Amino acid sequence: MKIQRHGAVLGLVAASALLLGACGSDNNTGSTTGGSTTSNAASVPVECGGKTKLNAEGSSAQKNAVDAFVQAYQAACPGVDLAYNPSGSGAGVKNFNAGQVDFGGSDSALKDGAETEAAAKRCQTNPAWNLPLVFGPVAVGYKVSGVDSLVLDAKTTAAIFSGTVKKWNDPAIKALNGSASLPDKDIAVIYRSDESGTTDNFQKYLKVAGGWTKGDGKQFKGGVGEGKEKSAGVAQAVGSIDGAITYVEWSFAQDNKLSIAKIDSGAGAVELTAESAGKAIDGAKVKGEGNNLVLDLDSIYGSKAAGAYPLLLATYEIVCSKGYDADTAKAVKAFLTVAATSGQAQLAEAGYVPLPKAFQDKILTAVKAIA
């Protein structure tokens, strides 16, 4: 991965790496009783045991993060596994609510009404919780011959993705890029054709910061461009089309060697880095109640803070607060505990931002309360 590294994030990663070593089977300081192992990750006991294979499904944005979590989980609790299907946030919510998977991954929290009611029914009349476990910046990735550096603001980005700005040398783009040489070339918009929390977050950002009037939700509503399935699909499409642009998770933009636009929110152009995304996350507020940790991202999307990259998403693990059988509850709690602690060690390398301490503490409190 080509990721810009910065001291603050590297410090988090280095600390987490040490914790990962402490969680491995060779360093397990806990005890094993009746098939249950207790180990330590970030000074938090991990009660292994119960169901040996979990199933989860949902957000493709967090797929690489989940891979890292599974490795850490297997190191802490030998003999276990988790199968994750990156089918998209919509499928993750649907199949969690249908009881087909042990937890779902979604880049948007459950919507009040039908989604939360279905989740409560699946959880034996208990509420489901939204736990923001993975933070990932969303890149505005593009491929334009001769244009290696590009600045956009939310208003111009909204105009591009609604078809109002159609050419790369449009005056709105030129005004943000000084003397840069921009070609007289059509803009090819590529969007997610499947239901996607990335789409939902992107449209919410455009609505808050850019005057987007097309609406939000998991389906793209810009009315322009060509749809491709999943994060890998849109990134690969842009990589093969000169003049194309999309919104996609940072790691997928990196994997496909896309150029990434800087974002100007009013305090100057900000490059997407781990540090600039981390600065934005520091401003996130929780609007959910109790252990239902739904975030209020509007304050981030509309922020004009210098040096903060405002376009990001939080992927929620959607879990039952109660209602699991005992074996499943124990395994879900063990996996999430590891994911929130030692599992964070490799995230910066994979294009994500490690959990800020405040969110880590909230998540661990919630996980402990799962029954």
Side-chain angles (χ1 to χ4, degrees):
M1 289 290 178
K2 293 183 179 179
I3 179 170
Q4 294 208 21
R5 305 175 186 179
H6 297 267
V9 174
L10 284 179
L12 278 170
V13 175
S16 297
L18 291 172
L19 295 169
L20 180 58
C23 271
S25 57
D26 292 339
N27 296 302
N28 194 332
T29 58
S31 59
T32 302
T33 328
S36 178
T37 302
T38 302
S39 60
N40 286 307
S43 301
V44 175
V46 180
E47 296 288 344
C48 302
K51 194 173 182 178
T52 58
K53 184 170 182 179
L54 293 169
N55 291 289
E57 181 173 357
S59 166
S60 60
Q62 70 165 355
K63 201 271 181 185
N64 293 335
V66 172
D67 288 347
F69 296 159
V70 170
Q71 290 180 15
Y73 179 43
Q74 292 173 331
C77 303
V80 299
D81 193 16
L82 178 139
Y84 185 76
N85 180 11
S87 57
S89 296
V93 170
K94 179 180 178 181
N95 288 321
F96 171 76
N97 286 349
Q100 300 300 310
V101 293
D102 299 311
F103 64 88
S106 176
D107 303 328
S108 301
L110 291 172
K111 286 184 170 59
D112 291 338
E115 283 190 351
T116 56
E117 290 168 7
K121 183 177 180 181
R122 179 258 193 271
C123 296
Q124 310 299 317
T125 72
N126 299 291
W129 289 339
N130 300 271
L131 307 183
L133 193 60
V134 178
F135 286 92
V138 177
V140 179
Y142 68 96
K143 181 179 179 181
V144 182
S145 296
V147 181
D148 298 323
S149 179
L150 180 72
V151 177
L152 294 173
D153 59 13
K155 182 178 180 180
T156 304
T157 304
I160 290 171
F161 281 87
S162 62
T164 304
V165 168
K166 303 176 185 293
K167 294 276 190 178
W168 281 106
N169 64 347
D170 185 280
I173 300 177
K174 292 177 70 173
L176 292 165
N177 289 275
S179 59
S181 178
L182 298 167
D184 182 14
K185 181 185 288 291
D186 290 341
I187 298 174
V189 169
I190 305 294
Y191 62 88
R192 285 282 294 271
S193 60
D194 54 323
E195 286 197 347
S196 165
T198 310
T199 298
D200 190 20
N201 281 270
F202 180 64
Q203 292 182 134
K204 285 176 178 175
Y205 161 72
L206 295 180
K207 181 180 177 181
V208 170
W212 178 263
T213 59
K214 298 287 187 175
D216 51 32
K218 294 184 176 72
Q219 291 283 359
F220 179 70
K221 298 177 180 177
V224 64
E226 180 181 359
K228 296 292 182 181
E229 285 194 358
K230 302 182 182 177
S231 302
V234 295
Q236 290 166 6
V238 172
S240 65
I241 301 171
D242 188 26
I245 190 169
T246 194
Y247 54 92
V248 70
E249 296 76 23
W250 191 15
S251 59
F252 288 91
Q254 292 174 313
D255 283 346
N256 289 273
K257 297 179 171 58
L258 304 185
S259 298
I260 298 174
K262 301 178 181 71
I263 291 182
D264 190 338
S265 300
V270 178
E271 182 181 358
L272 171 50
T273 67
E275 185 178 54
S276 63
K279 186 169 184 178
I281 290 170
D282 284 340
K285 298 178 180 179
V286 175
K287 65 180 180 181
E289 296 182 358
N291 290 320
N292 186 28
L293 304 178
V294 180
L295 300 174
D296 179 2
L297 293 175
D298 284 4
S299 59
I300 296 177
Y301 294 152
S303 173
K304 299 184 185 300
Y309 183 87
L311 181 48
L312 55 83
L313 59 81
T315 297
Y316 297 92
E317 311 313 327
I318 300 171
V319 302
C320 290
S321 58
K322 296 180 181 178
Y324 290 120
D325 62 78
D327 283 346
T328 301
K330 194 166 193 176
V332 167
K333 292 174 73 170
F335 175 81
L336 294 176
T337 299
V338 171
T341 52
S342 62
Q344 298 288 306
Q346 306 302 320
L347 292 195
E349 292 293 337
Y352 303 93
V353 183
L355 284 174
K357 181 65 164 57
F359 283 103
Q360 184 185 58
D361 291 343
K362 290 178 183 294
I363 287 170
L364 291 173
T365 298
V367 170
K368 186 177 181 181
I370 293 172

PDB file of all heavy atoms in Angstrom, residues 32-55:
ATOM      1  N   THR A  32      -6.720 -21.461  30.240  1.00  0.00           N
ATOM      2  CA  THR A  32      -7.700 -22.183  29.452  1.00  0.00           C
ATOM      3  C   THR A  32      -8.492 -23.089  30.380  1.00  0.00           C
ATOM      4  O   THR A  32      -7.936 -23.892  31.101  1.00  0.00           O
ATOM      5  CB  THR A  32      -7.006 -23.041  28.374  1.00  0.00           C
ATOM      6  OG1 THR A  32      -6.223 -22.179  27.571  1.00  0.00           O
ATOM      7  CG2 THR A  32      -8.008 -23.759  27.512  1.00  0.00           C
ATOM      8  N   THR A  33      -9.815 -22.918  30.325  1.00  0.00           N
ATOM      9  CA  THR A  33     -10.653 -23.739  31.180  1.00  0.00           C
ATOM     10  C   THR A  33     -11.870 -24.180  30.388  1.00  0.00           C
ATOM     11  O   THR A  33     -12.627 -23.349  29.924  1.00  0.00           O
ATOM     12  CB  THR A  33     -11.154 -22.942  32.391  1.00  0.00           C
ATOM     13  OG1 THR A  33     -10.200 -21.978  32.766  1.00  0.00           O
ATOM     14  CG2 THR A  33     -11.419 -23.849  33.544  1.00  0.00           C
ATOM     15  N   GLY A  34     -12.032 -25.483  30.232  1.00  0.00           N
ATOM     16  CA  GLY A  34     -13.202 -25.985  29.521  1.00  0.00           C
ATOM     17  C   GLY A  34     -13.306 -25.445  28.115  1.00  0.00           C
ATOM     18  O   GLY A  34     -14.387 -25.119  27.658  1.00  0.00           O
ATOM     19  N   GLY A  35     -12.163 -25.287  27.405  1.00  0.00           N
ATOM     20  CA  GLY A  35     -12.180 -24.813  26.033  1.00  0.00           C
ATOM     21  C   GLY A  35     -12.246 -23.314  25.917  1.00  0.00           C
ATOM     22  O   GLY A  35     -12.351 -22.776  24.835  1.00  0.00           O
ATOM     23  N   SER A  36     -12.214 -22.582  27.009  1.00  0.00           N
ATOM     24  CA  SER A  36     -12.279 -21.121  26.976  1.00  0.00           C
ATOM     25  C   SER A  36     -10.945 -20.543  27.390  1.00  0.00           C
ATOM     26  O   SER A  36     -10.387 -20.914  28.409  1.00  0.00           O
ATOM     27  CB  SER A  36     -13.372 -20.626  27.935  1.00  0.00           C
ATOM     28  OG  SER A  36     -13.410 -19.224  27.942  1.00  0.00           O
ATOM     29  N   THR A  37     -10.442 -19.622  26.566  1.00  0.00           N
ATOM     30  CA  THR A  37      -9.139 -19.025  26.834  1.00  0.00           C
ATOM     31  C   THR A  37      -9.306 -17.552  27.142  1.00  0.00           C
ATOM     32  O   THR A  37     -10.074 -16.855  26.503  1.00  0.00           O
ATOM     33  CB  THR A  37      -8.214 -19.176  25.605  1.00  0.00           C
ATOM     34  OG1 THR A  37      -8.101 -20.553  25.306  1.00  0.00           O
ATOM     35  CG2 THR A  37      -6.845 -18.603  25.879  1.00  0.00           C
ATOM     36  N   THR A  38      -8.588 -17.076  28.125  1.00  0.00           N
ATOM     37  CA  THR A  38      -8.571 -15.657  28.440  1.00  0.00           C
ATOM     38  C   THR A  38      -7.196 -15.111  28.112  1.00  0.00           C
ATOM     39  O   THR A  38      -6.192 -15.604  28.596  1.00  0.00           O
ATOM     40  CB  THR A  38      -8.852 -15.407  29.933  1.00  0.00           C
ATOM     41  OG1 THR A  38     -10.114 -15.960  30.261  1.00  0.00           O
ATOM     42  CG2 THR A  38      -8.877 -13.923  30.232  1.00  0.00           C
ATOM     43  N   SER A  39      -7.142 -14.106  27.231  1.00  0.00           N
ATOM     44  CA  SER A  39      -5.879 -13.463  26.891  1.00  0.00           C
ATOM     45  C   SER A  39      -6.058 -11.969  27.015  1.00  0.00           C
ATOM     46  O   SER A  39      -7.142 -11.486  27.272  1.00  0.00           O
ATOM     47  CB  SER A  39      -5.442 -13.856  25.482  1.00  0.00           C
ATOM     48  OG  SER A  39      -6.397 -13.458  24.541  1.00  0.00           O
ATOM     49  N   ASN A  40      -4.973 -11.232  26.858  1.00  0.00           N
ATOM     50  CA  ASN A  40      -5.038  -9.794  27.034  1.00  0.00           C
ATOM     51  C   ASN A  40      -4.709  -9.063  25.741  1.00  0.00           C
ATOM     52  O   ASN A  40      -3.760  -9.381  25.067  1.00  0.00           O
ATOM     53  CB  ASN A  40      -4.056  -9.338  28.114  1.00  0.00           C
ATOM     54  CG  ASN A  40      -4.547  -9.702  29.496  1.00  0.00           C
ATOM     55  OD1 ASN A  40      -5.665  -9.359  29.846  1.00  0.00           O
ATOM     56  ND2 ASN A  40      -3.732 -10.397  30.263  1.00  0.00           N
ATOM     57  N   ALA A  41      -5.518  -8.069  25.397  1.00  0.00           N
ATOM     58  CA  ALA A  41      -5.252  -7.177  24.277  1.00  0.00           C
ATOM     59  C   ALA A  41      -5.527  -5.780  24.779  1.00  0.00           C
ATOM     60  O   ALA A  41      -6.627  -5.462  25.187  1.00  0.00           O
ATOM     61  CB  ALA A  41      -6.162  -7.502  23.094  1.00  0.00           C
ATOM     62  N   ALA A  42      -4.504  -4.945  24.762  1.00  0.00           N
ATOM     63  CA  ALA A  42      -4.633  -3.588  25.268  1.00  0.00           C
ATOM     64  C   ALA A  42      -5.161  -3.597  26.691  1.00  0.00           C
ATOM     65  O   ALA A  42      -5.995  -2.789  27.065  1.00  0.00           O
ATOM     66  CB  ALA A  42      -5.537  -2.755  24.367  1.00  0.00           C
ATOM     67  N   SER A  43      -4.650  -4.545  27.502  1.00  0.00           N
ATOM     68  CA  SER A  43      -5.055  -4.699  28.892  1.00  0.00           C
ATOM     69  C   SER A  43      -6.529  -5.028  29.035  1.00  0.00           C
ATOM     70  O   SER A  43      -7.124  -4.815  30.078  1.00  0.00           O
ATOM     71  CB  SER A  43      -4.729  -3.420  29.693  1.00  0.00           C
ATOM     72  OG  SER A  43      -3.349  -3.150  29.638  1.00  0.00           O
ATOM     73  N   VAL A  44      -7.138  -5.524  27.965  1.00  0.00           N
ATOM     74  CA  VAL A  44      -8.542  -5.921  28.002  1.00  0.00           C
ATOM     75  C   VAL A  44      -8.603  -7.435  27.855  1.00  0.00           C
ATOM     76  O   VAL A  44      -8.079  -7.985  26.887  1.00  0.00           O
ATOM     77  CB  VAL A  44      -9.330  -5.256  26.853  1.00  0.00           C
ATOM     78  CG1 VAL A  44     -10.763  -5.763  26.830  1.00  0.00           C
ATOM     79  CG2 VAL A  44      -9.310  -3.737  27.011  1.00  0.00           C
ATOM     80  N   PRO A  45      -9.221  -8.147  28.783  1.00  0.00           N
ATOM     81  CA  PRO A  45      -9.292  -9.609  28.675  1.00  0.00           C
ATOM     82  C   PRO A  45     -10.173 -10.031  27.505  1.00  0.00           C
ATOM     83  O   PRO A  45     -11.242  -9.467  27.284  1.00  0.00           O
ATOM     84  CB  PRO A  45      -9.889 -10.037  30.017  1.00  0.00           C
ATOM     85  CG  PRO A  45     -10.629  -8.849  30.507  1.00  0.00           C
ATOM     86  CD  PRO A  45      -9.864  -7.646  30.027  1.00  0.00           C
ATOM     87  N   VAL A  46      -9.696 -10.992  26.740  1.00  0.00           N
ATOM     88  CA  VAL A  46     -10.453 -11.553  25.630  1.00  0.00           C
ATOM     89  C   VAL A  46     -10.906 -12.948  26.032  1.00  0.00           C
ATOM     90  O   VAL A  46     -10.083 -13.842  26.199  1.00  0.00           O
ATOM     91  CB  VAL A  46      -9.605 -11.613  24.341  1.00  0.00           C
ATOM     92  CG1 VAL A  46     -10.428 -12.216  23.211  1.00  0.00           C
ATOM     93  CG2 VAL A  46      -9.103 -10.237  23.966  1.00  0.00           C
ATOM     94  N   GLU A  47     -12.188 -13.129  26.218  1.00  0.00           N
ATOM     95  CA  GLU A  47     -12.733 -14.422  26.621  1.00  0.00           C
ATOM     96  C   GLU A  47     -13.017 -15.237  25.370  1.00  0.00           C
ATOM     97  O   GLU A  47     -14.074 -15.127  24.754  1.00  0.00           O
ATOM     98  CB  GLU A  47     -14.011 -14.219  27.435  1.00  0.00           C
ATOM     99  CG  GLU A  47     -13.803 -13.494  28.747  1.00  0.00           C
ATOM    100  CD  GLU A  47     -13.083 -14.345  29.790  1.00  0.00           C
ATOM    101  OE1 GLU A  47     -13.011 -15.578  29.598  1.00  0.00           O
ATOM    102  OE2 GLU A  47     -12.595 -13.775  30.779  1.00  0.00           O
ATOM    103  N   CYS A  48     -12.047 -16.051  24.963  1.00  0.00           N
ATOM    104  CA  CYS A  48     -12.225 -16.892  23.786  1.00  0.00           C
ATOM    105  C   CYS A  48     -13.139 -18.061  24.111  1.00  0.00           C
ATOM    106  O   CYS A  48     -13.350 -18.406  25.273  1.00  0.00           O
ATOM    107  CB  CYS A  48     -10.876 -17.413  23.301  1.00  0.00           C
ATOM    108  SG  CYS A  48      -9.679 -16.119  22.891  1.00  0.00           S
ATOM    109  N   GLY A  49     -13.667 -18.685  23.072  1.00  0.00           N
ATOM    110  CA  GLY A  49     -14.511 -19.845  23.278  1.00  0.00           C
ATOM    111  C   GLY A  49     -15.848 -19.675  22.596  1.00  0.00           C
ATOM    112  O   GLY A  49     -16.078 -18.716  21.863  1.00  0.00           O
ATOM    113  N   GLY A  50     -16.739 -20.614  22.810  1.00  0.00           N
ATOM    114  CA  GLY A  50     -18.043 -20.560  22.173  1.00  0.00           C
ATOM    115  C   GLY A  50     -17.955 -21.016  20.729  1.00  0.00           C
ATOM    116  O   GLY A  50     -17.183 -21.907  20.370  1.00  0.00           O
ATOM    117  N   LYS A  51     -18.704 -20.398  19.875  1.00  0.00           N
ATOM    118  CA  LYS A  51     -18.777 -20.743  18.459  1.00  0.00           C
ATOM    119  C   LYS A  51     -17.408 -20.587  17.811  1.00  0.00           C
ATOM    120  O   LYS A  51     -16.765 -19.551  17.946  1.00  0.00           O
ATOM    121  CB  LYS A  51     -19.804 -19.831  17.794  1.00  0.00           C
ATOM    122  CG  LYS A  51     -20.266 -20.252  16.425  1.00  0.00           C
ATOM    123  CD  LYS A  51     -21.413 -19.336  15.995  1.00  0.00           C
ATOM    124  CE  LYS A  51     -21.981 -19.727  14.645  1.00  0.00           C
ATOM    125  NZ  LYS A  51     -23.121 -18.853  14.261  1.00  0.00           N
ATOM    126  N   THR A  52     -16.957 -21.599  17.084  1.00  0.00           N
ATOM    127  CA  THR A  52     -15.605 -21.540  16.515  1.00  0.00           C
ATOM    128  C   THR A  52     -15.562 -20.865  15.155  1.00  0.00           C
ATOM    129  O   THR A  52     -14.486 -20.464  14.700  1.00  0.00           O
ATOM    130  CB  THR A  52     -15.003 -22.949  16.392  1.00  0.00           C
ATOM    131  OG1 THR A  52     -15.859 -23.754  15.571  1.00  0.00           O
ATOM    132  CG2 THR A  52     -14.834 -23.583  17.762  1.00  0.00           C
ATOM    133  N   LYS A  53     -16.695 -20.729  14.471  1.00  0.00           N
ATOM    134  CA  LYS A  53     -16.711 -20.017  13.192  1.00  0.00           C
ATOM    135  C   LYS A  53     -17.887 -19.064  13.137  1.00  0.00           C
ATOM    136  O   LYS A  53     -19.045 -19.483  13.211  1.00  0.00           O
ATOM    137  CB  LYS A  53     -16.774 -20.974  12.010  1.00  0.00           C
ATOM    138  CG  LYS A  53     -16.684 -20.236  10.664  1.00  0.00           C
ATOM    139  CD  LYS A  53     -16.514 -21.167   9.489  1.00  0.00           C
ATOM    140  CE  LYS A  53     -16.373 -20.367   8.192  1.00  0.00           C
ATOM    141  NZ  LYS A  53     -16.174 -21.257   7.022  1.00  0.00           N
ATOM    142  N   LEU A  54     -17.586 -17.786  13.008  1.00  0.00           N
ATOM    143  CA  LEU A  54     -18.602 -16.755  12.865  1.00  0.00           C
ATOM    144  C   LEU A  54     -18.801 -16.433  11.393  1.00  0.00           C
ATOM    145  O   LEU A  54     -17.894 -16.605  10.572  1.00  0.00           O
ATOM    146  CB  LEU A  54     -18.183 -15.487  13.603  1.00  0.00           C
ATOM    147  CG  LEU A  54     -18.111 -15.560  15.126  1.00  0.00           C
ATOM    148  CD1 LEU A  54     -17.430 -14.312  15.686  1.00  0.00           C
ATOM    149  CD2 LEU A  54     -19.507 -15.727  15.727  1.00  0.00           C
ATOM    150  N   ASN A  55     -19.982 -15.936  11.073  1.00  0.00           N
ATOM    151  CA  ASN A  55     -20.286 -15.477   9.722  1.00  0.00           C
ATOM    152  C   ASN A  55     -20.761 -14.040   9.780  1.00  0.00           C
ATOM    153  O   ASN A  55     -21.583 -13.680  10.632  1.00  0.00           O
ATOM    154  CB  ASN A  55     -21.369 -16.355   9.083  1.00  0.00           C
ATOM    155  CG  ASN A  55     -20.877 -17.750   8.774  1.00  0.00           C
ATOM    156  OD1 ASN A  55     -20.082 -17.942   7.864  1.00  0.00           O
ATOM    157  ND2 ASN A  55     -21.326 -18.727   9.553  1.00  0.00           N
TER     158      ASN A  55
END
